[in-house]
Amino acid sequence: MRMIIEHVNILPGVLQNENALLPIINNAKVHIEDGLFTFVGTQDNAPPFTADQVIDGRGQLLMPSLVNAHTHNAMTLFRGVGSDLPLSNWLFETILPLEKKMTAPIARVGIQLALLEHLRFGTTLVNDMYFHIRDEAEIIKNSGMRAMLSDACVDMGDGRAQLANAMAFYQDFYHKDEQIRVSISLHAEYTSTPAFIEIFMDATAGLDNIIHVHVSETSREVRECISRHGKTPVRYFHDLGIFSKRTIAAHCVAVSEEDVTILAADKVTVAHCPVSNLKLGSGIAPVKNMLDRGIEIALGTDGASCNNNLNLWEEIKFMSLLHKGTTGNATAVSPAQSLAAATSVGASALGFYNVGLIKNGYSADLILLDMDKPNIVPSCNIGANLAYSTQGSDVTMTMACGKILYRDGNFMTLDREKILYEAKAASEALLK
Ligand SMILES: [Zn+2]
């Protein structure tokens, strides 16, 4: 498939570790061939190219599609359930009992519901941790999206069996195609033991697996970890060797100065989930300090059960605003840093190294945004517009691997009406 998007303004993205947007290319054109960009530049400089499809991008901004670095897709079915409870009551008294009823057919519906939302709001790559990931891998493949998937190990009696399953999934899917990456993960400190982590590290020694783990989400988690092990969760994972693997640590809200030093030294990527952390009353991660110390920050929504949506534009805005408020410094986090967190930083943290920028040779994973909206006009400061003014509903087209997956209200690979109908029925079955 050969495609042209023309007469469009392009934001090529934000390079990792560079606190500035790449320059906008006005009246530009991209050529896409076999899923990759083969030309990105001005209309005038474009070489001859014959395409099967030509899209007129007038009035639109073309930019990298978004990356959700921490979520639990199937939990869309728990949206609103146990809302406004603190994390421990919400998780242990409300969600865990319901998860016992989360059969594979029900999870499949929840995952598809999540994908509708991701694509509608311009997200094409997600880092998902949940059960039934073989089903999920098939759904992601068919949807045209991308994901890093893990069935996180929880050592509550059957940790070894879970680890064996995770290893088998890894062997079956490791770099088998361009859409799926595999993580062998741990759920959290409070669902693990040092003895199990030793087994985990032995079993995964030599494997190129990224670890995805919840870390220091609440001060209670940290207090209990200190009373169990005499150290914080960050120190616990460091001492047990977890951070010697590439790690994406979700949350990192209740972290000490020493924790931040460890995270920086171990090059851990933090998946910042500001909305979930606020909604569960968990607090605010010290992201300004982390950025100053060179820690890479990606953005995640967490599950729709504690957010309560998967609209990453809200996380971009919250990341941009929250840390100005906590530090009293209006320059604490720039739009470029929040947009990098939601694009290039997230993509490379998940091992997708040719995703997250609009660039020759990169995969054509992109969105079009309608710039002729009352909430965006005038567009004299594109960074500020994207961080503070843009809504998820301003996305008009979402593409991954060079294929259009969503355009102007239509989903090309998902049956919206069927999924919504089944999701309502599945939710009723779970709550009955
Ligand atoms: Zn989570």
Side-chain angles (χ1 to χ4, degrees):
M1 178 79 175
R2 294 159 65 90
M3 187 184 296
I4 289 173
I5 306 176
E6 61 182 7
H7 303 297
V8 70
N9 293 338
I10 296 176
L11 168 64
V14 188
L15 297 175
Q16 277 177 273
N17 306 319
E18 289 206 12
N19 193 359
L21 304 185
L22 290 166
I24 302 278
I25 311 169
N26 290 314
N27 194 23
K29 191 173 187 184
V30 295
H31 297 169
I32 297 166
E33 192 169 0
D34 296 329
L36 303 176
F37 292 114
T38 53
F39 172 79
V40 176
T42 59
Q43 200 76 26
D44 295 342
N45 289 330
F49 185 72
T50 319
D52 306 303
Q53 186 176 5
V54 178
I55 292 174
D56 187 341
R58 259 172 264 248
Q60 314 267 325
L61 180 77
L62 187 159
M63 63 173 276
S65 52
L66 305 185
V67 180
N68 190 332
H70 179 68
T71 192
H72 312 284
N73 279 333
M75 293 182 89
T76 46
L77 296 178
F78 299 141
R79 198 192 314 267
V81 175
S83 196
D84 305 298
L85 290 174
L87 186 134
S88 56
N89 308 65
W90 168 81
L91 180 61
F92 292 107
E93 292 162 22
T94 311
I95 297 298
L96 291 184
L98 283 176
E99 282 186 333
K100 294 198 170 70
K101 300 195 216 169
M102 183 67 92
T103 60
I106 291 178
R108 290 180 72 95
V109 176
I111 292 162
Q112 291 178 78
L113 178 62
L115 301 198
L116 285 179
E117 209 177 341
H118 291 309
L119 291 176
R120 173 65 190 92
F121 296 135
T123 297
T124 56
L125 168 57
V126 298
N127 185 21
D128 193 32
M129 176 198 287
Y130 210 62
F131 323 111
H132 308 298
I133 49 174
R134 283 179 188 270
D135 292 80
E136 176 152 18
E138 182 200 326
I139 294 166
I140 293 280
K141 280 289 298 171
N142 293 337
S143 75
M145 274 184 67
R146 299 176 190 264
M148 186 168 87
L149 301 175
S150 61
D151 187 346
C153 296
V154 172
D155 184 27
M156 288 176 164
D158 62 345
R160 280 171 185 267
Q162 289 189 33
L163 180 56
N165 279 338
M167 302 276 292
F169 182 71
Y170 178 86
Q171 300 299 351
D172 291 348
F173 283 84
Y174 177 70
H175 280 222
K176 288 280 160 59
D177 68 65
E178 59 180 358
Q179 286 173 253
I180 310 283
R181 294 274 184 278
V182 181
S183 157
I184 305 177
S185 292
L186 282 168
H187 174 259
E189 175 278 325
Y190 54 90
T191 49
S192 72
T193 57
F196 178 69
I197 291 182
E198 227 166 88
I199 294 166
F200 178 97
M201 291 307 291
D202 280 349
T204 59
L207 296 184
D208 175 31
N209 63 303
I210 297 172
I211 290 180
H212 179 196
V213 59
H214 295 91
V215 179
S216 300
E217 184 170 357
T218 64
S219 51
R220 176 177 166 171
E221 174 188 332
V222 175
R223 269 198 317 276
E224 291 180 355
C225 180
I226 290 172
S227 75
R228 272 191 289 272
H229 306 294
K231 54 183 87 169
T232 64
V234 169
R235 169 59 72 183
Y236 169 86
F237 285 127
H238 169 86
D239 287 353
L240 290 166
I242 289 291
F243 296 159
S244 64
K245 297 245 183 198
R246 240 162 357 117
T247 304
I248 298 173
H251 305 302
C252 297
V253 170
V255 286
S256 65
E257 195 58 33
E258 191 205 0
D259 290 339
V260 174
T261 302
I262 293 172
L263 293 169
D266 289 351
K267 298 197 177 337
V268 172
T269 300
V270 171
H272 180 34
C273 304
V275 174
S276 167
N277 298 152
L278 288 175
K279 180 153 187 301
L280 292 167
S282 304
I284 298 171
V287 161
K288 163 71 174 149
N289 186 21
M290 292 174 178
L291 287 168
D292 288 347
R293 306 285 288 277
I295 295 174
E296 296 214 315
I297 305 289
L299 271 172
T301 55
D302 212 349
S305 47
C306 54
N307 184 296
N308 283 3
N309 65 45
L310 304 175
N311 177 3
L312 210 57
W313 293 94
E314 291 187 356
E315 319 300 318
I316 292 170
K317 183 163 184 172
F318 270 85
M319 176 173 166
S320 306
L321 295 181
L322 264 180
H323 310 290
K324 301 182 195 296
T326 56
T327 60
N329 172 4
T331 64
V333 174
S334 69
Q337 286 170 314
S338 305
L339 290 164
T343 54
S344 53
V345 172
S348 72
L350 301 184
F352 290 82
Y353 301 111
N354 70 340
V355 173
L357 293 173
I358 307 301
K359 186 176 170 185
N360 240 344
Y362 266 51
S363 180
D365 292 29
L366 63 88
I367 54 175
L368 292 181
L369 284 172
D370 185 353
M371 300 306 280
D372 281 331
K373 284 285 195 69
N375 55 305
I376 299 183
V377 171
S379 192
C380 58
N381 182 337
I382 196 71
N385 266 3
L386 293 172
Y388 309 124
S389 312
T390 300
Q391 305 292 307
S393 53
D394 299 329
V395 174
T396 59
M397 190 178 94
T398 305
M399 174 187 288
C401 307
K403 295 196 181 81
I404 298 172
L405 307 179
Y406 168 84
R407 191 175 183 194
D408 296 328
N410 298 307
F411 295 88
M412 313 312 173
T413 54
L414 296 164
D415 185 339
R416 178 181 180 276
E417 302 311 320
K418 180 167 179 277
I419 294 167
L420 294 182
Y421 175 82
E422 290 178 353
K424 290 173 197 165
S427 166
E428 276 174 28
L430 281 172
L431 298 176
K432 181 161 74 182

